[in-house]
Amino acid sequence: MKLPIALSSIALATSLITLITPPVTAQLTREALVKTNIQKLIATRECKGCDLTRADLQNLDLKGVDLKNAVLEDAQLQNTNLSTANLEAASLGGANLSQSDLSAANLTAADLCFTQLQGANLTQANLTNAQLIAANLQNAELTHTNFSYANLQNANLIAVNLEETILEGANLRGTQRNVI
């Protein structure tokens, strides 16, 4: 009689451990999904709403791609050409876009909190209603950029060109500024 109870206890303990410990295959599956999404993006020039979390997209020519609603959190996008790209409502939190070309890109309602945008070209980009909390825009080119109603709280705006930049309704509280 004790044997079935012991087996039941072992089965219960195994089930609990399985619930508590995330499977390694889930991480591998996510990495495989991101890799597949990168291939799709390069082949079709669009990947709307896709998961590109922590993707390495450095030094690529992604001019004019459609990444509306895509998740690019913690992605590596240094020196990437994203000019005229559609990144509307994309999630780019923690991404590194240093030295990237985002000129004339649509970043309306995008999440760019804690992003690295040092030296990025955002000339004529649309960042209406974008979230740029604590974003680092040091030495970025912001001429003719639209930041209407954007949240730039605690952003680094040191050594940026704000010539004819639209800042209507933008939250600039706590920004570091030394505008040229």
Side-chain angles (χ1 to χ4, degrees):
M1 290 284 186
K2 290 187 179 184
L3 185 59
I5 294 172
L7 288 176
S8 296
S9 298
I10 292 171
L12 179 63
T14 303
S15 296
L16 288 174
I17 290 170
T18 303
L19 288 173
I20 295 169
T21 309
V24 175
T25 54
Q27 182 63 28
L28 293 175
T29 303
R30 183 177 194 149
E31 289 174 8
L33 174 64
V34 170
K35 185 176 180 180
T36 300
N37 287 339
I38 291 170
Q39 292 169 346
K40 175 185 175 184
L41 172 63
I42 292 168
T44 66
R45 311 292 293 164
E46 71 173 50
C47 202
K48 295 178 187 176
C50 67
D51 185 355
L52 292 164
T53 303
R54 290 187 290 283
D56 186 353
L57 301 168
Q58 296 178 69
N59 304 306
L60 294 180
D61 182 4
L62 299 175
K63 180 178 181 173
V65 297
D66 192 350
L67 288 164
K68 182 177 181 177
N69 295 311
V71 178
L72 291 133
E73 294 172 1
D74 299 315
Q76 299 302 309
L77 293 151
Q78 302 94 309
N79 301 303
T80 299
N81 182 0
L82 287 160
S83 61
T84 69
N86 182 13
L87 291 154
E88 181 181 350
S91 181
L92 292 140
N96 190 340
L97 291 142
S98 298
Q99 306 299 319
S100 290
D101 184 357
L102 291 151
S103 58
N106 180 10
L107 291 150
T108 303
D111 176 1
L112 293 150
C113 295
F114 303 98
T115 55
Q116 301 300 314
L117 289 154
Q118 302 97 311
N121 180 1
L122 288 147
T123 302
Q124 298 181 347
N126 185 357
L127 288 109
T128 302
N129 292 313
Q131 297 295 314
L132 292 116
I133 298 169
N136 187 349
L137 292 144
Q138 187 169 356
N139 294 310
E141 179 59 51
L142 305 177
T143 305
H144 304 285
T145 303
N146 186 351
F147 285 108
S148 294
Y149 304 98
N151 187 353
L152 290 144
Q153 187 172 350
N154 298 318
N156 180 349
L157 297 173
I158 293 175
V160 298
N161 184 353
L162 292 173
E163 181 182 332
E164 298 185 40
T165 298
I166 302 166
L167 294 165
E168 179 184 350
N171 177 0
L172 298 170
R173 278 182 285 172
T175 58
Q176 302 171 41
R177 290 182 259 178
N178 177 8
V179 182
I180 56 173

